[in-house]
Amino acid sequence: MEVITPAPRGIWQEVLAADRAHLESQSPAWVDAITAMGRYFDASRAYVFPSGTTAVLPAVGVARGPMTRVWSMPPAWGMGGLISSEPLTRGLVQSVLRDVSRAGNLAFSVRPNPLNADAWKAAADLALEIERRAHVIDLRGGFEEVWNDRMSRGARKRANRADRLGVEVSRSTNGEGLEVFYALFQQSLERWARRQNEPRAMALWRGRRRDPLAKFQRMAEALGEAFRLWIASVDGRPAAAIIVTQGANAHYTRGVVDEELSGRTEASYLLQVRAIEDACRAGCAAYHMGESGSSRGLAEFKERLGAHSIPYAEYRLERLPVTRVDTAARTAVKKLIGFRDA
């Protein structure tokens, strides 16, 4: 097989168009948004197989030479993994992982599209496996089928109640309203800090470092119409906001709320229903609702809206025990401050 890195944009776009399960976080525009932040470089790899199959591994890296770390995708930047001109197979995944293992990087991490979990099980023999769980709504059949057959009666009642209470929902595709989103995000950081027994200053520093406003602005600039910001307001006050990236499939990638206002009006349900309806109109096959971890409450919220749980895994190849050291350091800090997972 022929390997080309960084992946040529023409090949990447062709493979992206052929792979109907892809997410916008596997696109060259997404990598442009990441590299625009200044820390990462484009480490994508294109593969041309003798059979005629072409695949691309979207990825970014930091540092150079033997200390290079590569992610597909980095923490808090969504899902990566292979896209392919033909249905993804375990054999193809193994071939790519063997190539990556020979690249000489300090560490490589891939968090693939959960819908490709079966193909990626081939990686379990070659890499460290970290179990994860995501939720996805099947949009096939259109919004009427999703609303009547997949959403729970409770979710429909909540969305209808928000509508009756006058919750107003707006959508922008140019980044307009990101300052409103970010104000709610910072409120959420403070709320999460209280629940997790984390010092407020530490939580704000950590959250702003992981997700600065500039990050979402770069996303909006790079993705264009594929970046959708939804805001629900009550009497002019923002109650909830979500970011959805939308192409062949939609991905609800961030959500923030004014807990009191949204809880009283059920604004979060109406917001999601509007975004799901929009994705159905656009012909999306799936609405990804992201990681759910071990949170029962978060899982129940997504399942009421029609999502089903998908167990999958992140895979890591490491020349040194990077994950073990990082996990030990995080555990020590959490123990020191009395952190509680919420």
Side-chain angles (χ1 to χ4, degrees), residues 87-329:
L88 201 60
T89 65
R90 293 192 180 196
L92 192 152
V93 169
Q94 285 183 326
S95 295
V96 168
L97 281 178
R98 289 192 185 101
D99 167 68
V100 172
S101 70
R102 294 191 293 264
N105 300 316
L106 173 65
F108 167 76
S109 175
V110 57
R111 189 153 64 98
N113 184 335
L115 296 181
N116 291 329
D118 285 346
W120 279 93
K121 285 179 182 176
D125 295 333
L126 304 172
L128 174 66
E129 184 178 21
I130 299 170
E131 293 183 358
R132 293 190 174 276
R133 180 173 63 136
H135 276 79
V136 180
I137 304 174
D138 182 354
L139 300 184
R140 289 173 297 181
F143 180 70
E144 186 174 347
E145 186 170 321
V146 174
W147 174 263
N148 290 319
D149 299 339
R150 295 177 195 147
M151 287 188 193
S152 71
R153 182 170 177 268
R156 296 196 301 269
K157 286 180 66 176
R158 286 175 167 93
N160 286 334
R161 181 170 184 269
D163 207 13
R164 288 196 307 272
L165 289 173
V167 174
E168 296 181 352
V169 174
S170 64
R171 188 199 75 176
S172 69
T173 57
N174 59 4
E176 183 180 350
L178 274 173
E179 292 79 7
V180 173
F181 167 87
Y182 208 72
L184 285 174
F185 170 67
Q186 294 187 93
Q187 285 183 34
S188 297
L189 289 176
E190 296 193 25
R191 184 174 67 254
W192 298 332
R194 290 193 296 270
R195 289 179 178 171
Q196 295 167 166
N197 196 39
E198 183 178 8
R200 175 181 177 275
M202 178 185 288
L204 289 172
W205 173 82
R206 193 166 58 90
R208 290 166 179 165
R209 182 174 182 270
R210 181 190 66 233
D211 288 325
L213 176 59
K215 171 180 176 176
F216 301 111
Q217 292 170 332
R218 297 296 87 74
M219 283 184 189
E221 291 168 5
L223 295 182
E225 287 285 324
F227 180 92
R228 297 177 180 227
L229 173 63
W230 296 83
I231 298 175
S233 301
V234 180
D235 296 328
R237 288 177 55 198
I242 61 174
I243 291 174
V244 177
T245 59
Q246 186 170 299
N249 299 282
H251 182 198
Y252 157 50
T253 185
R254 285 292 188 283
V256 290
V257 299
D258 177 317
E259 195 168 53
E260 185 278 327
L261 192 55
S262 181
R264 177 163 53 83
T265 61
E266 307 288 7
S268 290
Y269 280 90
L270 184 61
L271 202 56
Q272 289 288 348
V273 167
R274 291 285 185 267
I276 293 165
E277 184 178 16
D278 183 59
C280 287
R281 279 200 306 267
C284 295
Y287 185 89
H288 290 247
M289 299 198 78
E291 293 275 331
S292 304
S294 59
S295 172
R296 188 59 232 159
L298 185 58
E300 287 175 353
F301 170 71
K302 295 175 180 180
E303 288 163 10
R304 288 188 198 108
L305 288 161
H308 60 279
S309 175
I310 301 179
Y312 74 113
E314 176 182 344
Y315 298 94
R316 297 180 182 180
L317 297 167
E318 299 176 344
R319 287 195 296 111
L320 295 175
V322 175
T323 295
R324 190 171 68 193
V325 171
D326 181 66
T327 300

